[in-house]
Amino acid sequence: ASGSRERRGARARLGALAAVAAVVAVALVARLAGRLDWPTGWTVAIAEPVNRAVDWMTAHLYSGVPYIGGTADWAGHFTTWVLDPVRSGLQWLPWWSVLFVVAALAWLIGTWRTALTAVLAMAAIGVLGVWQPSLDTLSQVLAAVAVTLVVGFATGIAAARSDRFEKLLRPVLDVCQTMPQFVYLIPVVALFGVGRAPAVAAAVVYALPAVVRITAQGLRQVDPAAMESARSLGATGGQQLRQVQLPLARPALLLAVNQGVVLVLAVVIIGGLVGGGALGYQVVFGLAQGDLATGLVAGVAIVCLGLMLDRVTQPARRDARKGA
């Protein structure tokens, strides 16, 4: 048996050496023949089809769709009915009440150290003099996170309960998670125009795959014994989900919330390129105009905002809380 293993190992090594030698030989031949660049005849131009698709979406989906309206109408309604009220509500609150709410949320989900970190992060935003733009950015983050969690939890639950749906969804999630953040701005601008709503839409699309994956994985990893006990007691599928799976998958769901918040914030800031305004606009303005002070202040405020959001959505361990 040991001799056969040694022979298989020797054959594997010889095969690897032969493959390396073949690659080196092909590279040398291509170098000597002057074939260094990709052949022009093997390229496929996608710019024209993409432009045609964008033109079609703009002509048929942007506005004038019977009964449901166009995507521009959806963006306008979302801005008027969701983004504007949330921003106005946050900016109407006194600064000390915002700090109090942040402290309460962070302490309930973590420890007093968590609450102190979150409050200091928000206080730093006020000290930097960008309180109002930060609350504008926060309103966009909250709206995007709400949409992301509703759609992500529903899709993740469906993927956890159906193997076929999970297999069909997997390549879509893989593609979405490998695309750069800026790529998401192209289709949303074509569909929704410019403004805060497109920035929110891009953030939702970017954060959705992570929320779906974490939710589905958390539900699938629930103790099989608990599920079998629920089935043996005659629990329906809905009862198993509400009373067994969701409570036991609570750590995974909280992790999905945390990751959704962090990813949404990253793209909402980039939304300053498409009219998102607030801190994202200040960063873009600072880069475009070479205004280091404006860009740096906005960048530090974004870091503080992200730190606060991470603290209020990341539960502390029980043993750490007892130690506090």
Side-chain angles (χ1 to χ4, degrees):
S2 61
S4 62
R5 283 197 298 270
E6 292 177 357
R7 286 192 296 270
R8 285 196 298 270
R11 286 196 297 267
R13 288 191 292 272
L14 288 175
L17 290 174
V20 171
V23 170
V24 172
V26 171
L28 289 175
V29 171
R31 179 74 182 181
L32 294 175
R35 302 287 186 176
L36 301 180
D37 295 330
W38 185 268
T40 57
W42 294 3
T43 60
V44 177
I46 65 171
E48 185 176 351
V50 169
N51 289 332
R52 286 201 302 266
V54 171
D55 293 339
W56 184 89
M57 288 190 295
T58 303
H60 295 84
L61 301 178
Y62 190 73
S63 63
V65 180
Y67 303 109
I68 62 174
T71 53
D73 299 326
W74 300 352
H77 294 327
F78 187 79
T79 301
T80 303
W81 296 343
V82 178
L83 292 177
D84 287 346
V86 175
R87 180 180 64 180
S88 299
L90 288 175
Q91 293 180 344
W92 175 82
L93 292 172
W95 64 269
W96 51 266
S97 65
V98 175
L99 296 184
F100 178 78
V101 171
V102 168
L105 291 175
W107 185 80
L108 287 174
I109 201 169
T111 67
W112 67 268
R113 293 186 180 90
T114 304
L116 180 61
T117 302
V119 169
L120 290 177
M122 284 301 295
I125 291 174
V127 172
L128 291 171
V130 287
W131 184 261
Q132 296 296 327
S134 297
L135 293 183
D136 189 356
T137 297
L138 180 59
S139 68
Q140 297 178 43
V141 172
L142 294 178
V145 167
V147 176
T148 302
L149 295 182
V150 170
V151 179
F153 283 164
T155 308
I157 291 171
R161 297 172 69 87
S162 173
D163 292 336
R164 179 176 298 179
F165 180 67
E166 192 272 338
K167 290 179 181 178
L168 292 174
L169 192 63
R170 188 182 304 161
V172 178
L173 298 179
D174 290 340
V175 171
C176 290
Q177 287 189 298
T178 55
M179 292 173 61
Q181 299 170 347
F182 290 95
V183 175
Y184 292 96
L185 299 179
I186 301 173
V188 298
V189 170
L191 287 173
F192 302 105
V194 296
R196 287 179 293 154
V200 170
V204 170
V205 176
Y206 181 72
L208 198 57
V211 175
V212 172
R213 284 189 185 276
I214 296 173
T215 301
Q217 184 179 10
L219 293 175
R220 285 180 176 272
Q221 291 180 346
V222 169
D223 188 1
M227 295 296 298
E228 183 62 31
S229 298
R231 282 191 292 267
S232 65
L233 293 174
T236 63
Q239 290 173 333
Q240 295 174 30
L241 175 65
R242 294 190 304 271
Q243 301 175 13
V244 180
Q245 285 183 292
L246 291 178
L248 293 180
R250 182 175 177 270
L253 299 180
L254 292 175
L255 176 61
V257 173
N258 178 261
Q259 292 300 300
V261 168
V262 173
L263 295 175
V264 161
L265 177 62
V267 181
V268 163
I269 298 304
I270 297 176
L273 295 170
V274 295
L279 294 178
Y281 171 77
Q282 293 190 8
V283 171
V284 173
F285 177 83
L287 291 174
Q289 301 297 323
D291 189 346
L292 178 61
T294 300
L296 182 61
V297 168
V300 174
I302 291 168
V303 173
C304 294
L305 192 61
L307 179 61
M308 182 275 294
L309 290 170
D310 180 70
R311 293 298 89 189
V312 300
T313 57
Q314 189 177 82
R317 294 180 180 178
R318 291 184 177 180
D319 54 353
R321 184 162 186 165
K322 289 178 181 179

